[in-house]
Amino acid sequence: MTPDDESAEAELLLKGDRPEWGSDKSIRRAFVASQFRVLALIGDDLHDFVWSGQDATPEQRLAAAETGTDYWGNRWFLIPNTCNGGWERAIEGYQTPTREEKLRRKVEALIGR
């Protein structure tokens, strides 16, 4: 697909489609950006925008999100995903807690304790 190819259709660029395409989406974003002008990013987690760090604390995630302050709501759009997300694993400390512990950590994270 090239920018001037009128017959080009939308394409999904999935991990594993090319040997160098793993879970880190930045490689696929760079591939698209090398051929197209990217106007906006839409995603449900921080790694969809600025960062592919694993096992980051909520504080590290916040610091990474703040690097794109001018983009949020302008060029970067976060959509909710109630079923999955690194934010949830981050507040759980990347553990597999009991249901009760999981709920307690979520409530504490939401009220800022």
Side-chain angles (χ1 to χ4, degrees), residues 9-65:
E9 296 183 18
E11 216 176 295
L12 292 177
L13 305 178
L14 305 174
K15 69 179 178 180
D17 282 354
R18 292 185 176 200
E20 68 274 19
W21 289 359
S23 297
D24 183 355
K25 296 177 183 179
S26 64
I27 295 169
R28 287 174 273 162
R29 282 196 297 266
F31 173 78
V32 171
S34 73
Q35 300 178 51
F36 299 94
R37 181 175 178 210
V38 178
L39 300 177
L41 294 176
I42 300 170
D44 67 350
D45 202 352
L46 185 58
H47 68 270
D48 293 326
F49 303 96
V50 295
W51 191 47
S52 61
Q54 299 295 317
D55 296 347
T57 66
E59 295 78 17
Q60 290 170 321
R61 292 173 62 83
L62 179 59

Side-chain angles (χ1 to χ4, degrees), residues 71-106:
Y71 293 123
W72 294 112
N74 183 23
R75 294 183 61 191
W76 295 349
F77 301 92
L78 184 66
I79 56 173
N81 181 344
T82 59
C83 297
N84 184 13
W87 66 271
E88 186 174 16
R89 289 186 302 279
I91 64 171
E92 293 169 356
Y94 301 94
Q95 305 291 318
T96 307
T98 64
R99 184 170 187 252
E100 292 78 17
E101 180 66 13
K102 189 174 184 177
L103 180 59
R104 184 188 64 75
R105 289 179 184 174
K106 285 182 185 180

